Each structure stands twice: as C-alpha cells, then as structure tokens.
Amino acid sequence: MIAATGLRWVLTVLFLVPALSAVRRAVAPERAGGGPGAAGRVAHLLHAMMAFAMVAMVWPWGMDLPARPQIILFTLGGAWFAGVALARPAPLSAAHALSGALPHVVMMGAMAWMAAAMVSSSSMSGHGGSGGMADMPGMDMSGGSGAVAMTLTGTGPRLTAGLLAGLLLLLALRWLARGFDAARLDGTTGPRHPSAPAERDALDLGCHGAMALGMAVVFVLLV
C-alpha cells in the first residue's frame, strides 16, 4: 500500500511497538492482586493482531493476505469490546462502560472497513474471488502520489476514509495527552501500584495513541 520506503519503515515501527507491547501484556504471568485477567489478555491479543495487520498493510506482501478473515476478525473484535463493556458489573453504568470501550470499537471497525474496502468482488473483478487485498475494484493501483501505491476511488469510500482519519487522529491526540499526563504523575508520585488498571498506564495509553496515529496516517494516504 505504501510506496515510499522511508514512510513504510516509520509506520512499521509505529505499529510494531504497540504490537510487541500488547503481546508482552497478553502473556504476562499473573501476579497476586494484579495481572490483566482473561478479558484483558483477549483485549491485548486483539490489539496485537490489529497492529500486526497494519504492519502487513504498509508492505507489498501484505496485499496478498486474504481480506475476508480480517473483516470477520476485526468485526468480531469490535463486538467483543462492546459486549465486555456492557457485561461489566456495577458500579459502572452500561453507558459509561460502553463509552470507555468505544475508541477500541472504532479502531476495530476501522480495520474491518479498510479490509472490506480492499476485498475483491468476484462478479465485478473476475479474479475468481480469492479475497486477497491485491484484488481491489475500489482502488486505484497507480496511487495518487509518490508516497502511496494505491488510493481509494469513489466519493463515498474516500469521504469515509477521510472521516475515519479525522476520528482516529482525535483518538490518538486524546490517548497521547493522557499518556503524557500519566507519565508526569508517575514521575512526581513514584511508581504506580502493580494492580492499577492498564487504562491508566502511560505506556498502554501511549501505545494506543501511536496505533491510532499510524492508522490515521494510512487513511489519509488512501484518500
């Protein structure tokens, strides 16, 4: 998807750091009074798969990966985040819990939409329905600039990509700002207790912000 080699590597690092951090958290051993729990491990694994999928998308070989399994995976991932939020017991209200999960639902939905925008249609493309990302009836393979190898075609898909880019950028700025605040507070109050929620962890927030920022850049390049 990305033609500029330098930009490929920048985005690869931007996605790879959150991916490795999520894997580390997912496999971290349980500690007394801490640990991510089963739901937390699933959340970290979903974030890791999303980040690894974005790494693949910026390289030419990623275009050969089947898109339909990604659509299913990230659609179910978004539904999972929403379902876990709604299933949380009191004192959190359902609306409050769902609002906290909404950014993750949006990111999963954006991933599913990106894969769906790239999936082939057998009746339209005549490529046999392989479902790989290289068969793209809604993509201009010539690219719109020297930075990208392809762009979306059609007003609707381009408008949707632009809106998702703006939304992801807002999420990135929010997460990064909260991450900086958490890091600053950690520096003034000492190390955080191991049982503190991962949402308040500066590294966790920073990784979410980096992931959203990288996705926003990719969506901008597709427009």
Side-chain angles (χ1 to χ4, degrees):
M1 180 183 297
I2 308 298
T5 303
L7 183 58
R8 281 179 188 167
W9 282 109
V10 169
L11 290 173
T12 295
V13 173
L14 200 59
F15 293 133
L16 199 56
V17 171
L20 296 178
S21 176
V23 170
R24 179 183 64 84
R25 288 175 177 272
V27 301
E30 292 282 353
R31 289 191 292 258
R41 293 183 190 278
V42 173
H44 291 312
L45 285 175
L46 285 172
H47 284 299
M49 287 186 285
M50 180 170 58
F52 282 128
M54 288 304 303
V55 170
M57 284 185 182
V58 303
W59 291 93
W61 54 265
M63 297 299 99
D64 295 328
L65 297 179
R68 289 188 179 90
Q70 298 183 58
I71 298 172
I72 296 171
L73 171 64
F74 296 121
T75 299
L76 292 177
W80 185 88
F81 275 108
V84 169
L86 292 175
R88 285 180 179 173
L92 285 178
S93 67
H96 186 273
L98 189 58
S99 66
L102 188 58
H104 306 289
V105 175
V106 168
M107 292 182 73
M108 290 285 163
M111 289 292 300
W113 183 89
M114 183 185 296
M118 298 177 178
V119 77
S120 64
S121 173
S122 299
S123 60
M124 294 178 62
S125 65
H127 284 94
S130 65
M133 289 186 177
D135 306 323
M136 305 177 187
M139 304 292 290
D140 176 12
M141 297 299 291
S142 63
S145 70
V148 291
M150 63 194 67
T151 55
L152 289 168
T153 60
T155 303
R158 295 181 70 180
L159 179 60
T160 303
L163 291 174
L164 286 172
L167 184 56
L168 288 165
L169 179 59
L170 290 176
L171 291 177
L173 294 175
R174 177 175 177 266
W175 268 320
L176 291 173
R178 292 175 61 192
F180 287 136
D181 286 342
R184 178 177 55 83
L185 290 175
D186 279 350
T188 58
T189 61
R192 192 180 300 277
H193 193 274
S195 63
E199 182 66 17
R200 298 178 184 175
D201 184 86
L203 178 60
D204 199 55
L205 292 166
C207 286
H208 289 327
M211 182 69 195
L213 180 61
M215 290 178 65
V217 171
V218 172
F219 273 101
V220 167
L221 294 174
L222 286 176
V223 176

